[in-house]
Amino acid sequence: GNSVTQMEGPVTLSEEAFLTINCTYTATGYPSLFWYVQYPGEGLQLLLKATKADDKGSNKGFEATYRKETTSFHLEKGSVQVSDSAVYFCALGLNRDDKIIFGKGTRLHILP
Amino acid sequence: GAGVSQSPSNKVTEKGKDVELRCDPISGHTALYWYRQRLGQGLEFLIYFQGNSAPDKSGLPSDRFSAERTGESVSTLTIQRTQQEDSAVYLCASSLTGGLANEKLFFGSGTQLSVL
């Protein structure tokens, strides 16, 4: 079946550190891939997406590249800020299905 | 409205009682989704509406769970005879047309349900 696996949290980093949150997927077909973010006290919101292999999604300094050969969509940021503290969800969607499948989420703490 | 609105934001109930959770999607959005998030777990798909019909109910965990949508707007998720394992955050999301894997979902802030 279709699924998403992302690294366990929480992840704790100091401000200005480099961030990687790993995400791998299993899918029949060619999914679109997403990262959603949930800031404290707020609803989930789309951070970035990629719809085909080798596409790179980017937003707010975050990037993720759709790697079909490794079935991965790792989230990266070169220099994190305290305001990036949130829960990050990797997700996939297939055109023939009507739902987006989410990973378990990774909680990120950034220390000043 | 400006965003997806869910009510109540918190609900505490006793085991065996019925509860109703409400979702107001963004005006004009035809697709509406319900997800459940248990503590420490990912988002679990429950049901999807396209307009007022539900083409995918595959995620409803038992026959105690039901959902409806009227007027292509408000949706209610009903849980009958609640059990402690139903305790979770119930999230609602809407999107403009649905059925497209690359379409953006807009989420509400969720209803935290606690069954004592």
Side-chain angles (χ1 to χ4, degrees):
Chain A
N2 303 316
S3 65
V4 174
T5 303
Q6 59 183 109
M7 65 190 292
E8 296 274 338
V11 174
T12 302
L13 296 172
S14 297
E15 203 166 24
E16 299 183 1
F18 184 86
L19 168 72
T20 300
I21 301 178
N22 290 338
C23 172
T24 57
Y25 67 90
T26 301
T28 52
Y30 301 96
S32 293
L33 300 173
F34 309 85
W35 278 99
Y36 277 79
V37 59
Q38 187 173 29
Y39 297 105
E42 299 183 18
L44 274 84
Q45 55 187 278
L46 180 66
L47 178 61
L48 54 84
K49 69 179 184 184
T51 57
K52 61 183 187 296
D54 299 325
D55 270 3
K56 178 186 285 187
S58 61
N59 186 23
K60 299 183 180 181
F62 290 89
E63 293 183 341
T65 301
Y66 189 142
R67 301 287 187 200
K68 186 180 175 186
E69 64 276 14
T70 54
T71 61
S72 65
F73 194 54
H74 305 321
L75 183 68
E76 296 182 336
K77 186 173 184 180
S79 176
V80 292
Q81 305 300 312
V82 172
S83 57
D84 294 327
S85 298
V87 182
Y88 293 81
F89 293 88
C90 186
L92 70 82
L94 286 159
N95 277 325
R96 65 174 180 274
D97 291 338
D98 299 323
K99 57 183 178 281
I100 306 294
I101 297 170
F102 287 84
K104 292 187 175 183
T106 302
R107 185 173 296 277
L108 176 64
H109 294 292
I110 305 300
L111 304 176
Chain B
V4 178
S5 177
Q6 292 187 245
S7 62
S9 55
N10 282 282
K11 176 70 177 178
V12 180
T13 190
E14 293 179 350
K15 179 180 172 181
K17 300 284 190 183
D18 298 350
V19 295
E20 264 192 13
L21 312 180
R22 177 187 169 105
C23 173
D24 280 279
I26 292 173
S27 179
H29 279 195
T30 62
L32 186 147
Y33 305 77
W34 283 98
Y35 285 86
R36 177 170 71 175
Q37 186 178 21
R38 288 178 164 145
L39 188 64
Q41 301 296 311
L43 273 69
E44 178 186 357
F45 170 79
L46 297 179
I47 188 169
Y48 158 70
F49 286 93
Q50 179 62 264
N52 293 339
S53 65
D56 191 343
K57 303 180 183 179
S58 63
L60 294 177
S62 75
D63 59 6
R64 296 187 294 105
F65 287 72
S66 62
E68 64 176 19
R69 188 180 186 196
T70 56
E72 295 196 358
S73 58
V74 172
S75 175
T76 54
L77 176 69
T78 302
I79 309 173
Q80 296 178 308
R81 304 181 302 281
T82 52
Q83 304 295 313
Q84 288 182 332
E85 62 263 27
D86 299 335
S87 297
V89 176
Y90 289 81
L91 292 168
C92 177
S94 70
S95 66
L96 190 59
T97 61
L100 297 172
N102 59 356
E103 191 168 80
K104 180 178 177 180
L105 297 184
F106 293 81
F107 280 86
S109 296
T111 294
Q112 172 74 63
L113 175 65
S114 300
V115 182
L116 304 179

